[in-house]
Amino acid sequence: MKPHEPSLLYHLVRFNHVRNKEIAAILYEMGELLEIRGENRFKVIAYSRAARAIESLKEDIEDVWRRGELDRIPGVGKAIAEKISEYLTTGHIKAYDDLVSSTPKGMKELLQLQGVGPKTVALLHEKLGVSTVDELEAAARQHRIRRLPGMGPTKEANILKAIERHRRRSTRIPLSVAVRIVEHIMRHLEGIEGLSNITVAGSYRRGKETVGDIDILATSSRPSESIAAFVRMPMVDDILGQGPTKASIIIEGTVQVDLRIVEPRSYGTLLQYFTGSKEHNVKLRGIALQRGYSLSEYSLKRLDTGEELFFDREEDVYKALGMQYIPPELREDRGEIEAALANRLPELVDLSSIKGDLHVHSTWSDGVGSIEEMVSHARSLGYEYIAITDHSPSVGIAGGISEERLLEKVETIYRMNEGLEGFRILAGTEVDIRADGSLDYRDEILERCDVVVAAIHMAQSQKEREINSRLVAAMENEHVDIIAHPTGRIIGRREPYRVDMDLILETAARTGTIMEINAYPERLDLSDEWARRAKEMGVRMAISTDAHSPDQLGFMRYGVTVARRGWLEPSNVINTLSAKDLMRHLGI
Ligand code: DGT
Ligand code: CA
Ligand code: CA
């Protein structure tokens, strides 16, 4: 992550209260640690009460301290005032440091479990000697928890569930999994009476490659009934929280979905806010302040007159701030606000501008669709062409085909094209770049193909220098048109191979080699950031699905999302060309 740049807003809103927040956080934590350790209840309460008072203090605590009035803050007694004073003078509180160092680390982690508070942690520690999540799990499995005062079989089972969730909590889900879940939920939400304007916001709407949780906004004529119907949906595993206009549920074991029922008149600002990213929002609020407005999720308020403007459409929020509408995929604070203010946002590529797919497999290698089936599905998507690019022999596990078979395939495709009207099948290959940088087919064979896609599959653990020279050698081969999945990463499973991408993109620019944005959901390779760099370096890209079945041609949407997040315009993407222009470009 790039270093955080303090924005104007940060200074205006946060600066004055930074100390207050720090101190409140420490006091809260002291209260919890004391409670875990079974300390006197009044002492525990004193800390949380003081923390709350400081949190809601209107003025800077340092000013109060300079006036010597710390103990005049309601809830702050002499002992706590001394600790605050110690903090403001020395930067730390000895009693806090001692408390932290003498509390087993695992006990603080126990507090993060849903439904487990300091009192429970203290009880578990005192009665069962539990001080880590693992020990708690063992105790629950041995049914030692249900016998404790105030516990029981249900609470014990809930603890096990909370542990499971806690363990998987950091796992973000791939966008494609989120899409499947959202589509499933949507079918149910659409049937809930009174619920309308349902939009998924958050990282999902921005099209991030992985999604932490799913944030849904909607309006409703009967909010509490809508919420009740939401938490009753059949696929709900758990309800994390439920209020009159908001609920959080767990689906498929670990995926959190939040539904917020919002006011129609603020729908535009709310959608803007909950789409994020946080970094984008922070910068946008800074711009609003510069223009004399305070932007919140409810309204845009004039600072001088206090007049409040409401927006039911998100577009109007950006308009009121004097900038172009920013597509959600760009909202990462990577220069999009500056570009929108200067009226220089890119005209992003979209699915409707895609005219074909340049990397798909058929039953000739490891695909499950015949060429005819792939073609017929491609035509149903409105495409003008498709390149059938089966594997070469080195990739034996993927059914790579011999030179003879490839030539046979090329002939077959030529014949098929003769009977086709308004569609072109390109005879291609996904040729393996071998460990020594040579290609898996001889040049005279590659020459017979319309499209040559080259890729590394084997020997991926080589040193950077070796990987670089393999890719450069492939790009320098005059028959190679496209490099597939250029970094080799598999999301959540395999890091990119060691490769100098700047060198690779420079070579692509020099040799006119097209770089692939592989749309396969586990790949998304090039990533959004590399795609943007490639664009800046003048490299053209192909968005390709690597489909191994007809329905996987539908992965194109994920590739297009990556391209949009990489600021790509149609002219940066080769498969926005018509069949005629593409063939001219490829010299067919
Ligand atoms: P995720 O769920 O980790 O993939 O990422 P997001 O972006 O969906 O984040 P999430 O679910 O925590 O919050 C949804 C949006 O709400 C986020 O994109 C922006 C907004 N938001 C949340 N917390 C804050 C905040 O502290 N400040 C600001 N300005 N916006 C926030
Ligand atoms: Ca989210
Ligand atoms: Ca959320």
Side-chain angles (χ1 to χ4, degrees):
M1 209 196 266
K2 63 179 176 204
H4 181 71
E5 230 175 272
S7 66
L8 176 66
L9 171 85
Y10 184 83
H11 289 291
L12 284 174
V13 177
R14 305 280 301 283
F15 189 72
N16 285 334
H17 294 102
V18 132
R19 292 275 173 231
N20 302 27
K21 287 211 167 128
E22 285 169 10
I23 290 169
I26 291 173
L27 296 179
Y28 272 127
E29 200 180 327
M30 287 185 81
E32 281 182 350
L33 293 174
L34 289 168
E35 190 169 4
I36 286 178
R37 299 160 61 109
E39 281 274 350
N40 176 311
R41 228 186 84 223
F42 296 105
K43 201 165 160 186
V44 169
I45 291 170
Y47 275 93
S48 59
R49 188 190 295 136
R52 219 172 312 119
I54 288 161
E55 205 173 33
S56 54
L57 201 62
K58 291 283 184 297
E59 72 173 315
D60 191 336
I61 192 155
E62 265 186 288
D63 295 336
V64 183
W65 170 60
R66 277 195 211 95
R67 294 198 306 271
E69 292 177 352
L70 282 177
D71 54 7
R72 286 224 215 145
I73 301 171
V76 176
K78 191 161 163 289
I80 292 180
E82 270 167 17
K83 293 192 173 66
I84 297 170
S85 178
E86 180 187 353
Y87 184 78
L88 292 171
T89 325
T90 67
H92 54 92
I93 299 174
K94 183 160 182 310
Y96 168 73
D97 297 342
D98 291 347
L99 207 48
V100 170
S101 59
S102 62
T103 308
K105 233 176 88 216
M107 286 176 79
K108 270 188 70 184
E109 194 184 350
L110 289 174
L111 281 179
Q112 292 170 17
L113 298 173
Q114 189 102 35
V116 176
K119 210 189 284 166
T120 310
V121 174
L123 179 76
L124 292 165
H125 186 64
E126 193 199 315
K127 302 279 188 208
L128 304 175
V130 163
S131 55
T132 66
V133 173
D134 286 344
E135 288 166 6
L136 179 60
E137 185 179 17
R141 295 210 184 286
Q142 294 154 8
H143 299 310
R144 289 191 284 138
I145 291 173
R146 59 177 67 183
R147 293 193 296 264
L148 296 176
M151 294 291 184
T154 313
K155 286 209 174 147
E156 191 174 75
N158 284 343
I159 282 177
L160 282 172
K161 273 203 241 166
I163 290 173
E164 191 186 335
R165 223 160 30 232
H166 175 75
R167 293 230 165 95
R168 295 205 228 157
R169 127 209 84 146
S170 61
T171 54
R172 300 175 59 83
I173 52 169
L175 181 61
S176 60
V177 173
V179 165
R180 182 172 49 71
I181 291 174
V182 163
E183 282 168 357
H184 189 192
I185 294 174
M186 280 301 189
R187 283 198 291 277
H188 285 267
L189 293 186
E190 276 154 13
I192 295 178
E193 221 188 294
L195 204 60
S196 39
N197 302 307
I198 308 165
T199 311
V200 184
S203 52
Y204 180 92
R205 183 163 181 244
R206 304 198 307 281
K208 260 186 89 158
E209 61 192 36
T210 62
V211 168
D213 69 357
I214 297 170
D215 309 280
I216 307 179
L217 298 185
T219 59
S220 175
S221 52
R222 310 152 72 181
S224 57
E225 285 93 335
S226 298
I227 291 291
F230 172 69
V231 302
R232 273 201 316 268
M233 293 188 302
M235 66 282 211
V236 174
D237 289 333
D238 222 329
I239 303 170
L240 297 180
Q242 182 181 354
T245 59
K246 195 189 144 184
S248 292
I249 56 170
I250 296 284
I251 277 180
E252 302 204 353
T254 58
V255 183
Q256 181 174 338
V257 183
D258 298 343
L259 173 66
R260 284 184 182 79
I261 309 287
V262 301
E263 284 219 38
R265 71 164 182 176
S266 295
Y267 200 83
T269 42
L270 282 156
L271 180 57
Q272 194 291 313
Y273 178 83
F274 285 110
T275 296
S277 67
K278 201 164 148 182
E279 292 75 14
H280 173 91
N281 288 353
V282 167
K283 175 146 308 156
L284 198 66
R285 285 175 179 216
I287 298 289
L289 285 171
Q290 285 172 12
R291 310 200 153 204
Y293 291 106
S294 136
L295 173 64
S296 75
E297 53 269 52
Y298 301 107
S299 68
L300 192 61
K301 199 190 263 176
R302 287 194 63 105
L303 292 170
D304 50 359
T305 61
E307 184 197 356
E308 226 176 345
L309 309 170
F310 295 96
F311 299 91
D312 56 359
R313 289 167 11 116
E314 191 186 47
E315 293 88 319
D316 297 332
V317 180
Y318 288 96
K319 203 158 151 198
L321 293 171
M323 64 180 82
Q324 283 177 290
Y325 175 73
I326 302 178
E329 294 92 333
L330 298 185
R331 300 185 197 169
E332 299 291 348
D333 190 20
R334 293 178 186 160
E336 72 281 5
I337 292 179
E338 293 80 353
L341 284 166
N343 211 16
R344 289 165 69 159
L345 281 177
E347 293 273 352
L348 297 181
V349 62
D350 64 18
L351 199 51
S352 69
S353 48
I354 298 295
K355 304 238 168 59
D357 199 326
L358 296 174
H359 180 175
V360 316
H361 296 268
S362 73
T363 44
W364 284 74
S365 65
D366 60 345
V368 299
S370 64
I371 297 180
E372 288 82 356
E373 286 166 328
M374 297 306 282
V375 166
S376 133
H377 199 80
R379 298 196 81 166
S380 77
L381 297 173
Y383 289 169
E384 297 179 16
Y385 48 88
I386 189 174
I388 307 292
T389 54
D390 285 299
H391 289 288
S392 64
S394 285
V395 198
I397 45 163
I401 56 177
S402 67
E403 291 187 336
E404 293 68 37
R405 284 281 286 165
L406 175 58
L407 291 179
E408 206 182 307
K409 194 180 90 169
V410 170
E411 290 306 321
T412 307
I413 288 175
Y414 285 173
R415 275 198 307 276
M416 287 174 75
N417 272 321
E418 280 163 22
L420 281 178
E421 194 85 41
F423 192 88
R424 172 82 184 213
I425 313 170
L426 300 173
T429 175
E430 179 182 10
V431 64
D432 188 56
I433 305 169
R434 296 180 185 143
D436 63 0
S438 64
L439 297 176
D440 220 10
Y441 292 124
R442 286 171 295 150
D443 280 357
E444 52 264 45
I445 305 291
L446 294 176
E447 197 179 359
R448 303 286 303 280
C449 294
D450 296 326
V451 186
V452 174
V453 178
I456 286 182
H457 297 96
M458 321 304 277
Q460 296 198 20
S461 53
Q462 282 180 339
K463 295 198 182 68
E464 183 182 309
R465 190 167 32 82
E466 292 167 305
I467 299 272
N468 288 345
S469 53
R470 282 164 82 182
L471 287 167
V472 169
M475 287 187 275
E476 282 175 345
N477 181 309
E478 59 170 330
H479 301 298
V480 170
D481 301 297
I482 302 175
I483 298 292
H485 38 77
T487 79
R489 66 112 173 231
I490 309 279
I491 295 173
R493 270 198 291 138
R494 193 168 73 206
E495 290 297 306
Y497 33 66
R498 280 167 289 210
V499 59
D500 177 353
M501 278 308 285
D502 283 315
L503 168 75
I504 299 307
L505 295 178
E506 267 164 35
T507 310
R510 171 169 61 79
T511 57
T513 310
I514 299 161
M515 288 286 120
E516 180 179 271
I517 294 177
N518 189 294
Y520 215 83
E522 287 79 33
R523 287 194 182 269
L524 306 181
D525 179 12
L526 299 176
S527 66
D528 49 8
E529 290 183 276
W530 282 123
R532 184 160 175 200
R533 181 83 67 92
K535 171 188 171 180
E536 282 159 5
M537 294 172 76
V539 174
R540 290 245 243 179
M541 281 158 271
I543 309 176
S544 306
T545 61
D546 205 347
H548 283 66
S549 65
D551 63 310
Q552 288 186 347
L553 289 171
F555 289 161
M556 187 59 77
R557 63 184 284 188
Y558 302 112
V560 169
T561 298
V562 170
R564 289 170 67 84
R565 289 178 57 82
W567 294 50
L568 266 51
E569 307 190 74
S571 62
N572 306 122
V573 178
I574 206 84
N575 50 321
T576 61
L577 293 177
S578 66
K580 201 164 135 252
D581 290 340
L582 177 81
M583 285 168 63
R584 190 177 314 128
H585 185 92
L586 293 173
I588 302 169

